[in-house]
Every structure is written in structure tokens, then in C-alpha cells.
Amino acid sequence: MNKWSDQITLVKENPSGQDADGFPIYGEEIKTTVFCNMQSVKATEFFQAAEHGVNAVHTAVLHSYEYDGQKLADFDGVRYAVYRAYEKQDKETVELTLAENVRRFESG
């Protein structure tokens, strides 16, 4: 099942300082492209996310050591929010649930 034939770009916003109120000012993005297995979102995950107004659209399975807490991901030319990260029981892989409407997640 582990074919690792899909690619996803994980995006981390790099804070470049703070504004007058102490909030981070984000500068350049740090992007890391990794191989993954892209899967459909499971029905239970989809409906649980929908209860919170989130449209979960993809699940990316990748090596745990390649994920560093990124909150954004690019896949097939679309930017998604990482709605949930779940380390699998084998401790070698992590599942990222990707959701649409990134702007909603960027502010919080």
C-alpha cells in the first residue's frame, strides 16, 4: 500500500519579527516537498470536520520525520490548511487531514 508516488509541499510561515502589539509578522515561507500517499478522507473524519464548519478534502500519509508541525500544504496547485495531524500507531507515519478555506485557519 505504501507507494509514495504523490507529492505534497508542506509550508511553514517563518516569523520575521513582531508588530507593535507583539503579534508575529510573517515573512518568507519555508517550503518542503515530500513524497506521500494521498487518500480520500474517511467518512467519519469528513462528517466530524463538517460539524465544525470545515471541509476536509484529503488525507496525506507521510513519514513522521518529514513533518515539522506545518499548518499549510500545497497539493495539485491548491493551498490547504492542515486541519489535523495524527501520528499513526507505527510511529513511522503521520496522517495529515487537509481542509479547504485556508484563510479561516490562517488567523487562528
Side-chain angles (χ1 to χ4, degrees):
M1 175 91 184
N2 291 338
K3 55 184 175 162
W4 309 107
S5 61
D6 299 308
Q7 288 188 350
I8 190 171
T9 300
L10 303 171
V11 181
K12 184 176 250 186
E13 294 179 316
N14 189 18
S16 62
Q18 294 182 343
D19 65 13
D21 296 321
F23 292 100
I25 298 171
Y26 292 102
E28 178 177 323
E29 294 179 335
I30 300 169
K31 295 182 178 185
T32 307
T33 300
V34 299
F35 285 98
C36 68
N37 294 323
M38 197 59 71
Q39 303 173 350
S40 298
V41 176
K42 295 177 182 86
T44 53
E45 180 80 23
F46 176 82
F47 288 113
Q48 286 175 353
E51 287 178 354
H52 298 282
V54 174
N55 187 19
V57 291
H58 296 292
T59 299
V61 179
L62 54 132
H63 293 105
S64 295
Y65 64 85
E66 294 181 308
Y67 180 65
D68 188 28
Q70 293 92 337
K71 300 293 183 194
L72 301 170
D74 295 335
F75 178 68
D76 276 350
V78 178
R79 173 136 314 168
Y80 297 98
V82 176
Y83 173 66
R84 183 178 76 92
Y86 172 75
E87 188 172 44
K88 301 284 278 189
Q89 198 170 21
D90 63 10
K91 303 286 188 198
E92 294 180 13
T93 57
V94 62
E95 275 186 6
L96 305 181
T97 302
L98 306 180
E100 293 181 325
N101 302 326
V102 172
R103 290 181 187 212
R104 176 177 176 193
F105 294 99
E106 285 179 338
S107 62

